[in-house]
Amino acid sequence: MNKKESKEQPEEFDDRKRTRRKDMLKMFYGMEEKPIDQNDPLNIDSPSFNKDMFLQKLKHEKSLAELMDTENDMAKQIRTLDSDMQTLVYENYNKFISATDTIRTMKRDFRQMEDQMEKLTNNMAAITELNSNINASMKENRGKIEKLSGVHSVLQKLQFLFELPSRLQKCLEMGSYSAAVSYYIRTKSVLHRYRDMESFSGINKDCNFIISEIIKKLKETFHNKESSTHELGECVGLLLKLEEPADLLCDEYLQHSRQKLDENLKELESYLVHDPNKGFLSIDILEFVDRGCNGFLSNLALTIASYEKLFLKRDHQQRNESKTTNRKYEKQTNSSSQQDDQITQMRLVASNKLATFVKDLLDIYFRLIESRLMMDKRAQDNALVVRALDRFYRRLQATKNLLPDSDMMKCGKDIVIRITKARCKHFNLSLREYFSDCLSDARTAIAPTKNTNVNKMVDLSELVTATASALLNQVKSTLADIQLFTISDNNFSNIQYFQHEFSCDDVRENIIVDFIVHINNVMSEICETSDSKQSPELILILSRLCRDFELSTVEYILTLTDEQFHINTRNKKTSLTEITVEMGMTAQRLLNCYVKSCGNSISRMIRTSVESRDWLQSPEPRQVRAVMRRVVEDITRTDLMVGSLYEEGLKKARSSDSSKRTFPYQTSLSRQRDRPHWGAYAPSSNLDNSLLSNIQKLFSERIDIFSTVDFSRTSIVTGVVKLVLKTLLECVRLKTLGKYGLQQLQVDCHYLQLYLWRFVSDEKLVHTLLDEVLTSCVNRCVEVVFMEPSVIDVICERG
């Protein structure tokens, strides 16, 4: 059994070695290890490999040629493994040799180290023995040496005390006050303790006298205006060491510092006065803020830092010095806690004095800064104002770090917000003024066209496009200027005001929406004053401009504003629909006003021509009256102007004889010829013409003269034509006509019919109104004699 176990152990050892070699080779070549079935007797890499079963399987499954190939392959693998094994053995052999050499070297080095350690041990033993001998021999004299050392130290201190007055006097003469105070502080407690002894009493008096002189010198330096901050700090520090009252020193230090700060504020205030020679401020806003920051704020920060160092951060130092002194002279009592309370109280008083001092000065500084910024609230260069605000706010933040409990940043934020709101109001006023200038330019552009030829008319379409483009560019420029306030590089851009209120309220509502509403209000006011003050051309231009705002411009401006300032839908107070609806209503009112204004202008000519003529004694007509030619020309000119701004619009289909010269009075003539057909209802001799006219109206379509016009060329001109013909009708009804007066109106109506039908949406409208005019003429005529149509045709051709 033991023999069998001994045989199995080498076999297992060989298997482990072979597996380890394979693993090392795979690790070296980076081959991925495949899982091996540990119980597979046919796997040559498995620990359970059975060579008999493997050979039996090969004999059954492979042919002789395949067996020969397998044998060659296995021979190659065996040679490869042998080569790898030799390589590994060689590498391990070299490592083993290197390790052997290393061990041999270490043995040699440790042998030398053992010798050195042995020598060191012997030396230490000798030193210990020698030290013991010295201690034994010096034991008797050690006490005497300690006594002599103590006496020597006391003598040195006494010598220092006796020489102290001369030392202090020398320091006073040399101006070395710091060394004198240091000497005095070191000996003060001793002199105070032994002041009743005669020998120390004189020294104490001399030292006190010299120290009083030093205090006078220090106070002279302290009150000198030319003293630097470093000198002031040194003086205050020495006076505090000499136990001068801290509260008085605080007041004197702040009073002295205020002189220079007041000079800085007075210099800033002098820049707020207009230069009489130049007529404007001597420096710009950025330079003003720079001088305030580099002058006043720098000196204030230096004063605060020096004050804190002198009066607020000396408590720890004083406590440590006090404890050291008490410990040195063995006087550690309850006075230490009392001193701590005094120092804490002094610190509180000093902090309050500093806070009041800084607040008073900053109130003046903030007032000057805000006054200067308000002077530039209407400045054209907004970038300069933004830079000035950023520089002011940035420097104020640095000063705030010195006084964390101060509320100076709240005041600074309020100033920034107030200046920003003032700038927003300026931008709103600038946009309004720009719109007013655009209206003035439009009036100037159309003014020469009033009395000139139609061919020399101003292109209203280009004028509308130029005006809209100018307004849009001005709005974009304004938004670009306003956006400078929200740049992340500005320190004040992280104020809460700029996160929501600025964008939503001040920019969108108070500038952009308010400007659009202002445009709408101005145009509405023009509608109300259009009868007497505004020209029809301007009203037509504004109607087109307002229509464009309704359709696209307002939406574009608001979308641009929302995108640039990141405004959410829920934060919008005024919706796009509200504004566009108002714009659409104003555009409609302007268009109605234009029709009314243009129609009234032409109607006045007609009314004047009818009222100024004696129609009973009118001469026989030889031509079309000039006023009718002027009416056709004005309507043609109106059609051209409207056509340049609005699309054609819908028209009813023309009748086949629309272009023929039909006579609107033909109906009346036919009615005269057909009077026997009316005999069944009334005698022809007594038939009332007005009754016939009223009966005819019952069967004709009603014409609404003052109906709302559409945004189209045809609808607008139709509205004007209706007003003109209605005016002619009403004027004729008030006149009594003679034979030739009736014939003259026949010629005029035929002339109007020849040209006006092409301008209206329905030619029947012109025919109906002109027919009513001639019917009224017949009713108002004392001698009804019609002119022959051929004669009318000749006159109209000649006219």
Side-chain angles (χ1 to χ4, degrees), residues 279-291:
F280 52 85
L281 296 175
S282 55
I283 59 175
D284 61 28
I285 181 61
L286 189 60
E287 186 177 355
F288 182 87
V289 172
D290 280 341
R291 296 198 180 190

Side-chain angles (χ1 to χ4, degrees), residues 649-661:
L650 298 176
K651 288 186 178 182
K652 290 187 177 180
R654 309 296 186 189
S655 61
S656 59
D657 59 346
S658 295
S659 59
K660 297 180 181 179
R661 298 179 178 180

Side-chain angles (χ1 to χ4, degrees), residues 67 195 590:
L67 289 173
R195 65 183 181 278
L590 284 168

Side-chain angles (χ1 to χ4, degrees), residues 185 237-238 240-241 308-325 339-340 343 347:
I185 294 298
L238 295 177
L240 287 174
K241 287 182 179 180
E308 288 183 341
K309 182 179 179 181
L310 295 173
F311 300 104
L312 303 180
K313 296 182 180 178
R314 295 182 60 84
D315 50 355
H316 298 296
Q317 183 179 354
Q318 289 182 0
R319 287 193 185 101
N320 295 334
E321 289 178 355
S322 175
K323 290 178 182 178
T324 302
T325 304
Q339 209 168 30
D340 289 345
I343 292 174
R347 179 188 177 97

